[in-house]
mmCIF file of all heavy atoms in Angstrom:
data_model
loop_
_atom_site.group_PDB
_atom_site.id
_atom_site.type_symbol
_atom_site.label_atom_id
_atom_site.label_comp_id
_atom_site.label_asym_id
_atom_site.label_seq_id
_atom_site.Cartn_x
_atom_site.Cartn_y
_atom_site.Cartn_z
ATOM 1 N N ILE A 309 -72.051 -77.266 123.540
ATOM 2 C CA ILE A 309 -72.415 -77.210 122.153
ATOM 3 C C ILE A 309 -73.707 -76.644 121.925
ATOM 4 O O ILE A 309 -74.012 -75.773 121.101
ATOM 5 C CB ILE A 309 -72.397 -78.685 121.580
ATOM 6 C CG1 ILE A 309 -70.928 -79.249 121.582
ATOM 7 C CG2 ILE A 309 -72.999 -78.723 120.255
ATOM 8 C CD1 ILE A 309 -70.064 -78.572 120.496
ATOM 9 N N GLN A 310 -74.735 -77.018 122.828
ATOM 10 C CA GLN A 310 -76.016 -76.471 122.790
ATOM 11 C C GLN A 310 -76.068 -74.938 122.908
ATOM 12 O O GLN A 310 -76.852 -74.228 122.191
ATOM 13 C CB GLN A 310 -76.966 -77.194 123.626
ATOM 14 C CG GLN A 310 -78.417 -76.743 123.525
ATOM 15 C CD GLN A 310 -79.466 -77.525 124.395
ATOM 16 O OE1 GLN A 310 -78.985 -78.375 125.222
ATOM 17 N NE2 GLN A 310 -80.680 -77.397 124.081
ATOM 18 N N GLU A 311 -75.292 -74.458 123.893
ATOM 19 C CA GLU A 311 -75.209 -73.085 124.137
ATOM 20 C C GLU A 311 -74.735 -72.335 122.826
ATOM 21 O O GLU A 311 -75.363 -71.245 122.464
ATOM 22 C CB GLU A 311 -74.401 -72.750 125.282
ATOM 23 C CG GLU A 311 -74.476 -71.346 125.801
ATOM 24 C CD GLU A 311 -73.648 -71.009 127.068
ATOM 25 O OE1 GLU A 311 -72.847 -71.984 127.512
ATOM 26 O OE2 GLU A 311 -73.822 -69.917 127.634
ATOM 27 N N SER A 312 -73.804 -72.794 122.166
ATOM 28 C CA SER A 312 -73.191 -72.169 121.010
ATOM 29 C C SER A 312 -74.352 -72.274 119.897
ATOM 30 O O SER A 312 -74.501 -71.110 119.219
ATOM 31 C CB SER A 312 -71.965 -72.784 120.545
ATOM 32 O OG SER A 312 -70.937 -72.498 121.461
ATOM 33 N N LEU A 313 -74.970 -73.332 119.724
ATOM 34 C CA LEU A 313 -75.900 -73.450 118.653
ATOM 35 C C LEU A 313 -77.142 -72.612 118.929
ATOM 36 O O LEU A 313 -77.760 -71.953 117.944
ATOM 37 C CB LEU A 313 -76.449 -74.967 118.496
ATOM 38 C CG LEU A 313 -75.371 -75.956 118.074
ATOM 39 C CD1 LEU A 313 -75.811 -77.302 118.187
ATOM 40 C CD2 LEU A 313 -75.196 -75.760 116.575
ATOM 41 N N THR A 314 -77.642 -72.520 120.227
ATOM 42 C CA THR A 314 -78.755 -71.737 120.537
ATOM 43 C C THR A 314 -78.423 -70.207 120.477
ATOM 44 O O THR A 314 -79.301 -69.525 119.895
ATOM 45 C CB THR A 314 -79.199 -72.078 121.975
ATOM 46 O OG1 THR A 314 -79.492 -73.437 122.115
ATOM 47 C CG2 THR A 314 -80.490 -71.245 122.396
ATOM 48 N N THR A 315 -77.290 -69.844 120.738
ATOM 49 C CA THR A 315 -76.934 -68.467 120.559
ATOM 50 C C THR A 315 -76.878 -67.974 119.058
ATOM 51 O O THR A 315 -77.499 -67.040 118.681
ATOM 52 C CB THR A 315 -75.490 -68.227 121.096
ATOM 53 O OG1 THR A 315 -75.449 -68.428 122.546
ATOM 54 C CG2 THR A 315 -75.028 -66.773 120.834
ATOM 55 N N LEU A 316 -76.456 -68.924 118.310
ATOM 56 C CA LEU A 316 -76.488 -68.532 116.861
ATOM 57 C C LEU A 316 -77.829 -68.665 116.336
ATOM 58 O O LEU A 316 -78.230 -67.710 115.497
ATOM 59 C CB LEU A 316 -75.584 -69.720 116.129
ATOM 60 C CG LEU A 316 -75.065 -69.446 114.711
ATOM 61 C CD1 LEU A 316 -74.387 -68.149 114.667
ATOM 62 C CD2 LEU A 316 -74.278 -70.627 114.198
ATOM 63 N N TYR A 317 -78.708 -69.625 116.690
ATOM 64 C CA TYR A 317 -80.075 -69.783 116.388
ATOM 65 C C TYR A 317 -80.949 -68.453 116.654
ATOM 66 O O TYR A 317 -81.504 -67.885 115.755
ATOM 67 C CB TYR A 317 -80.665 -71.013 116.746
ATOM 68 C CG TYR A 317 -82.112 -71.077 116.697
ATOM 69 C CD1 TYR A 317 -82.693 -71.555 115.364
ATOM 70 C CD2 TYR A 317 -82.989 -70.953 117.722
ATOM 71 C CE1 TYR A 317 -84.000 -71.611 115.301
ATOM 72 C CE2 TYR A 317 -84.412 -71.163 117.505
ATOM 73 C CZ TYR A 317 -84.895 -71.456 116.297
ATOM 74 O OH TYR A 317 -86.248 -71.568 116.096
ATOM 75 N N ASP A 318 -80.856 -68.123 117.895
ATOM 76 C CA ASP A 318 -81.495 -66.918 118.436
ATOM 77 C C ASP A 318 -81.156 -65.620 117.685
ATOM 78 O O ASP A 318 -82.044 -64.820 117.395
ATOM 79 C CB ASP A 318 -81.342 -66.808 119.978
ATOM 80 C CG ASP A 318 -82.092 -67.858 120.788
ATOM 81 O OD1 ASP A 318 -82.835 -68.580 120.190
ATOM 82 O OD2 ASP A 318 -81.655 -67.987 121.999
ATOM 83 N N SER A 319 -79.862 -65.577 117.391
ATOM 84 C CA SER A 319 -79.394 -64.298 116.722
ATOM 85 C C SER A 319 -79.991 -64.361 115.255
ATOM 86 O O SER A 319 -80.291 -63.155 114.769
ATOM 87 C CB SER A 319 -77.920 -64.336 116.740
ATOM 88 O OG SER A 319 -77.346 -64.234 118.033
ATOM 89 N N PHE A 320 -79.895 -65.383 114.574
ATOM 90 C CA PHE A 320 -80.605 -65.338 113.260
ATOM 91 C C PHE A 320 -82.069 -65.106 113.165
ATOM 92 O O PHE A 320 -82.493 -64.455 112.385
ATOM 93 C CB PHE A 320 -80.179 -66.734 112.375
ATOM 94 C CG PHE A 320 -78.885 -66.569 111.732
ATOM 95 C CD1 PHE A 320 -77.647 -66.747 112.294
ATOM 96 C CD2 PHE A 320 -78.821 -66.215 110.367
ATOM 97 C CE1 PHE A 320 -76.509 -66.581 111.587
ATOM 98 C CE2 PHE A 320 -77.701 -66.147 109.693
ATOM 99 C CZ PHE A 320 -76.425 -66.372 110.270
#
Side-chain angles (χ1 to χ4, degrees):
I309 292 291
Q310 185 173 11
E311 188 175 8
S312 291
L313 289 169
T314 301
T315 297
L316 197 56
Y317 171 75
D318 289 345
S319 297
F320 268 83

